[in-house]
Amino acid sequence: MTTMTQTSARFREFKMPDVGEGLTEAEILKWFVQPGDTVTDGQVVCEVETAKAAVELPIPFDGVVHELRFAEGTTVDVGEVIITVDVAPGSEDAPAPAAAPAQEPVEAAPAEEPKGRTPVLVGYGVAESSTKRRPRKGAAPEAAAVAAAVQAELNGHGSAAPVADAPPVGRPLAKPPVRKLAKDLGIDLATVVPTGKDGIITREDVHAAAAPAASAAASEVAEPVAVSVPETPATVGSARETRIPVKGVRKAIAQAMVGSAFTAPHVTEFVTVDVTRTMKLVAELKEDKEMAGVRVNPLLIIAKALLVAIKRNPEVNAAWDEANQEIVQKHYVNLGIAAATPRGLIVPNIKDAHDKTLPQLAAALGELVATARDGKTSPAAMAGGTVTITNVGVFGVDTGTPILNPGESAILAVGAIKLQPWVHKGKVKPRQVTTLALSFDHRLVDGELGSKVLADVAAILEQPKRLITWA
């Protein structure tokens, strides 16, 4: 979704869009432009990370970058202006670009400012300002509090009202996740200087307050306003422990897993199976001309086996509608593949996987994995999944008890394929063996149905010819 505002005939604003399904915020990971750069319609200007993925944002008009409203590493609410563009450069009515905080004296923005004043917003490099770190109550002189208020005004967070002599009144304003973060970090919200709209305390304010707290224990006369502030503080802690802010994909994973584990009653069943014939099939397919140009591996056959098992047991492909107290059976399969990325676990899915031939499925798997590895998976690619496969075997793990992806009915965990002694045709022989684990939502899937699905997958992997006879 493109979000923009036309402030005048010359300057246009581009707001943080909702790049997913109802997302409320995103973190600016990287700017690809700076003030003074020329941009064209469709040019990517920044990369942001939402709770689902990293996404590149294109600008929807031509012009010259006038201001970047937020620094890299800043979490911005959807709807906030992140960049302004001069669409008619060279006109005489252009205001001078705002100076960086380090070049703007405190006296330039007095504390007593009319409420109707349009804030002067700074450009790129705002992370060096004092808004990133706030002194705790009593830890800095009156001038530091005034400077904090002035800097908040310069950054467009509100009017620079005097705050030095105004003690907090009532309960500090903050969203529940921010309150929890403050509790986890041991920060009293009453001591935090808010920079959000209407005096709301943001996560950045809490992290900023936590930074000087560590040094305050060593020296009560420290002056936080004089401390050099890193642009994007990634961790907070001491030499014995490290505190890492939970945000972006990691935050989404935590919320989704907790919600799934304590909402859907999980049941997990296991089966150990001889996959020697499947491994032989994989080797043969690698030499097949029809599979040229695509990656063939055991996961491909396992994915196809699960799709056939779902076709034989369609009731497993469903979702629970709590609001309407209904079971929604899906007549399509969007097959999720759990992928470990540098930003955390994501589960993109192959749309309409049930309709794909083996070469098409192999191509889709290869594209999915490559996109996830590059960190380019879109939120749309992770939406609408019905069942998922997680391959824990790549880590040498035998099996596990996977947690359902929210909104899905089942998840299949595939363990490591190992050469083991196995009774084959009445004799103990070395065979390639793996363990499968199927977790399912017991509200939707009875034990009998779940057992049939898992048994079908195992039977196909033991005798891959069933891909033909059962399909």
Side-chain angles (χ1 to χ4, degrees):
M1 180 187 77
T2 298
T3 306
M4 55 186 170
T5 301
Q6 186 170 348
T7 56
S8 68
R10 176 169 180 181
F11 293 93
R12 302 181 74 175
E13 298 176 338
F14 180 58
K15 297 180 178 180
M16 177 68 73
D18 178 3
V19 295
E21 300 175 334
L23 298 176
T24 59
E25 62 185 16
E27 178 186 353
I28 297 176
L29 294 179
K30 182 176 181 61
W31 282 108
F32 299 116
V33 296
Q34 295 186 12
D37 289 352
T38 300
V39 294
T40 57
D41 186 357
Q43 177 180 339
V44 174
V45 294
C46 68
E47 182 182 31
V48 301
E49 183 182 48
T50 69
K52 295 184 176 181
V55 181
E56 293 181 340
L57 298 184
I59 198 78
F61 36 79
D62 301 334
V64 175
V65 177
H66 182 63
E67 288 181 319
L68 305 180
R69 300 290 180 90
F70 297 95
E72 294 176 356
T74 305
T75 299
V76 182
D77 291 337
V78 168
E80 288 283 342
V81 176
I82 60 174
I83 182 174
T84 58
V85 174
D86 184 351
V87 296
S91 301
E92 296 181 356
D93 59 344
Q103 299 172 345
E104 187 76 25
V106 172
E107 293 76 16
E112 296 290 345
E113 192 67 42
K115 292 183 180 180
R117 176 182 180 273
T118 301
V120 178
L121 298 173
V122 300
Y124 190 75
V126 68
E128 298 295 335
S129 72
S130 61
T131 58
K132 298 299 288 185
R133 299 286 176 96
R134 298 294 181 190
R136 301 186 68 183
K137 183 177 180 183
E142 178 181 350
V146 175
V150 171
Q151 191 61 58
E153 168 68 1
L154 290 175
N155 285 331
H157 296 305
S159 60
V163 296
D165 298 325
V169 178
R171 190 185 187 200
L173 299 178
K175 296 179 181 179
V178 177
R179 293 185 182 278
K180 184 177 185 304
L181 174 63
K183 181 180 179 181
D184 293 341
L185 296 179
I187 299 299
D188 182 0
L189 287 178
T191 67
V192 179
V193 179
T195 62
K197 289 184 177 180
D198 302 321
I200 295 177
I201 297 173
T202 66
R203 284 196 302 270
E204 285 72 20
D205 298 333
V206 175
H207 288 306
S215 60
S219 176
E220 296 182 354
V221 297
E223 297 184 6
V225 293
V227 177
S228 176
V229 182
E231 184 172 338
T232 54
T235 60
V236 177
S238 65
R240 291 176 61 84
E241 62 182 29
T242 300
R243 292 182 177 269
I244 302 174
V246 179
K247 56 184 178 179
V249 175
R250 175 53 56 189
K251 178 180 178 181
I253 293 171
Q255 293 174 340
M257 293 299 98
V258 170
S260 176
F262 293 98
T263 300
H266 285 54
V267 173
T268 304
E269 295 185 341
F270 308 89
V271 64
T272 302
V273 58
D274 177 2
V275 295
T276 304
R277 291 187 177 91
T278 290
M279 299 305 291
K280 290 180 179 179
L281 176 61
V282 169
E284 292 173 0
L285 288 174
K286 289 181 178 180
E287 304 299 326
D288 194 319
K289 294 181 180 179
E290 296 295 327
M291 303 298 289
V294 297
R295 185 178 181 184
V296 179
N297 55 22
L299 180 61
L300 171 63
I301 308 302
I302 294 168
K304 194 65 176 178
L306 179 58
L307 292 171
V308 172
I310 292 172
K311 184 177 181 179
R312 286 167 53 85
N313 304 276
E315 298 86 359
V316 76
N317 190 40
W320 182 270
D321 187 341
E322 181 67 28
N324 296 314
Q325 288 295 291
E326 295 176 339
I327 293 176
V328 183
Q329 290 194 352
K330 309 293 181 66
H331 305 300
Y332 59 91
V333 181
N334 290 345
L335 181 62
I337 304 294
T341 72
R343 292 190 177 96
L345 177 71
I346 62 173
V347 188
N349 60 75
I350 300 172
K351 309 298 183 186
D352 295 324
H354 63 290
D355 283 337
K356 297 188 182 299
T357 63
L358 195 63
Q360 291 172 341
L361 186 62
L365 274 171
E367 181 181 358
L368 179 148
V369 172
T371 303
R373 185 183 296 116
D374 294 339
K376 303 299 182 183
T377 303
S378 68
M382 293 183 281
T386 58
V387 295
T388 291
I389 296 176
T390 177
N391 185 10
V392 298
V394 296
F395 306 108
V397 175
D398 290 335
T399 189
T401 55
I403 296 178
L404 294 169
N405 204 31
E408 299 183 9
S409 59
I411 179 171
L412 178 69
V414 182
I417 298 175
K418 300 179 179 179
L419 200 63
Q420 296 183 17
W422 193 264
V423 178
H424 177 68
K425 296 182 179 180
K427 296 181 179 180
V428 177
K429 297 182 179 180
R431 305 285 287 181
Q432 291 175 304
V433 177
T434 189
T435 299
L436 306 175
L438 182 72
S439 291
F440 50 86
D441 186 341
H442 216 341
R443 297 174 300 178
L444 301 163
V445 183
D446 293 332
E448 179 185 8
L449 177 59
S451 299
K452 286 182 176 180
V453 172
L454 184 59
D456 280 356
V457 174
I460 293 172
L461 296 180
E462 188 174 19
Q463 294 284 353
K465 65 182 181 181
R466 292 190 172 104
L467 286 173
I468 300 174
T469 58
W470 287 359

